[in-house]
């Protein structure tokens, strides 16, 4: 399924590609090395086989492999892509929660902060995970309002994340907790801090995307009141 239009718009606006080109019914993203979310083509209108060809040609012009991102209910598109030998990769779920579900508990002192611009230690935590400089460049180009999340535990900085607001929906991305400090509740407090920041700016809902394989994160988000709001996968050449 796909999210409702407001959540889908926030999902795209808060993690933008370096550049985009319209190819018939597709919008093709130029990722500049920042991963599939920004390096994929998505359907934005009626499309045909020629549009798929044009999207693939645009990917090639940018030196990217052909990659499409399709919601699970886009069955005609999925069928057309798989007929071309493009297989599904990284099944992902979009989850959302009312802001109020995360703001009723006070955050312990010096546990989580929402600041901008990011501190050097936040960029180091991102870099220690999978939030490469190219992915951090995505964060930098998101328009305000936005904030970098800092999580602290055992008297040290141990977590970093990113939250941005689009209309009345906040989206969280790039949540990273250093391995030695995981499974201690820090990600949950960071999410609550993101919600508090967003609530102050008038947000009513908060969302995120998480791979289906990340069962630990799913459990954390479900415990905070997040529920499934959409699901998609990437379609590209075999790895």
């Amino acid at each position: 399924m796909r999210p409702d239009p407001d959540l889908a718009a926030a999902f795209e606006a808060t993690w933008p590609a370096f550049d985009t080109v319209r190819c018939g019914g597709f919008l093709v993203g130029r990722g500049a090395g920042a991963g599939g979310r920004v390096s994929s083509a998505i359907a934005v209108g009626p499309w045909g086989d020629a549009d798929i060809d044009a999207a693939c040609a645009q990917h090639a012009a940018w030196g990217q492999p052909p990659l499409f991102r399709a919601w699970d209910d886009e069955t005609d598109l999925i069928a057309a892509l798989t007929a071309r030998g493009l297989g599904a990769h990284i099944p992902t779920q979009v989850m959302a929660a009312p802001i109020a579900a995360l703001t009723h508990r006070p955050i312990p002192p010096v546990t989580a902060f929402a600041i901008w611009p990011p501190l050097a230690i936040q960029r180091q935590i991102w870099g220690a995970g999978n939030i490469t400089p190219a992915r951090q460049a995505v964060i930098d180009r998101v328009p305000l309002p936005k904030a970098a999340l800092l999580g602290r535990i055992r008297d040290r900085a141990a977590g970093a994340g990113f939250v941005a607001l689009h209309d009345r929906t906040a989206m969280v991305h790039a949540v990273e907790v250093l391995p030695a400090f995981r499974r201690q509740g820090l990600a949950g407090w960071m999410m609550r801090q993101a919600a508090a920041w967003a609530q102050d700016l008038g947000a009513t809902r908060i969302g995120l995307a998480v791979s289906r394989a990340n069962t630990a994160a799913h459990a954390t988000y479900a415990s905070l009141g997040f529920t499934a709001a959409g699901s998609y996968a990437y379609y590209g050449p075999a790895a």
Side-chain angles (χ1 to χ4, degrees):
M1 65 177 178
R2 73 189 72 196
D4 64 74
D6 289 342
L7 185 59
F11 181 72
E12 303 296 342
T14 60
W15 198 255
F18 179 80
D19 193 11
T20 57
V21 168
R22 183 74 181 256
C23 294
F26 294 99
L27 188 67
V28 186
R30 183 180 185 182
R37 274 279 301 278
V38 288
S39 303
S40 50
I42 58 173
V44 292
W47 55 269
D49 285 342
D51 299 335
I52 297 178
D53 292 336
C56 291
Q58 185 60 59
H59 279 304
W62 283 332
Q64 300 178 170
L67 188 68
F68 293 78
R69 175 161 43 92
W71 299 108
D72 288 352
D73 62 358
E74 293 182 288
T75 53
D76 289 346
L77 175 57
I78 292 168
L81 297 174
T82 54
R84 290 170 175 251
L86 301 179
H89 305 278
I90 318 177
T92 302
Q93 190 162 36
V94 176
M95 305 181 77
I99 285 286
L102 282 84
T103 56
H104 63 285
R105 292 182 60 185
I107 300 169
V110 299
T111 297
F113 304 87
I115 60 177
W116 191 262
L119 302 174
I121 186 62
Q122 289 167 290
R123 293 195 181 275
Q124 291 169 16
I125 292 169
W126 278 327
N130 194 37
I131 316 303
T132 62
R135 285 179 165 90
Q136 292 182 42
V138 177
I139 291 171
D140 292 337
R141 64 176 170 257
V142 175
L144 293 168
K146 59 184 176 181
L149 305 170
L150 175 65
R152 290 180 53 85
I153 192 170
R154 304 209 308 254
D155 294 325
R156 65 151 293 168
F162 174 69
V163 58
L165 188 66
H166 180 75
D167 291 334
R168 301 183 72 188
T169 299
M171 293 296 297
V172 177
H173 307 274
V175 176
E176 185 69 35
V177 176
L178 295 174
F181 301 93
R182 292 174 185 168
R183 301 184 184 277
Q184 299 176 51
L186 184 58
W189 292 120
M190 291 167 60
M191 294 300 300
R192 292 185 186 279
Q193 179 60 66
W197 172 87
Q199 186 179 59
D200 287 345
L201 294 173
T204 58
R205 183 166 54 166
I206 186 167
L208 52 86
V210 58
S211 72
R212 289 190 178 274
N214 192 345
T215 55
H218 274 276
T220 295
Y221 299 139
S223 71
L224 293 168
F226 284 85
T227 58
S231 54
Y232 64 90
Y234 298 98
Y235 291 83

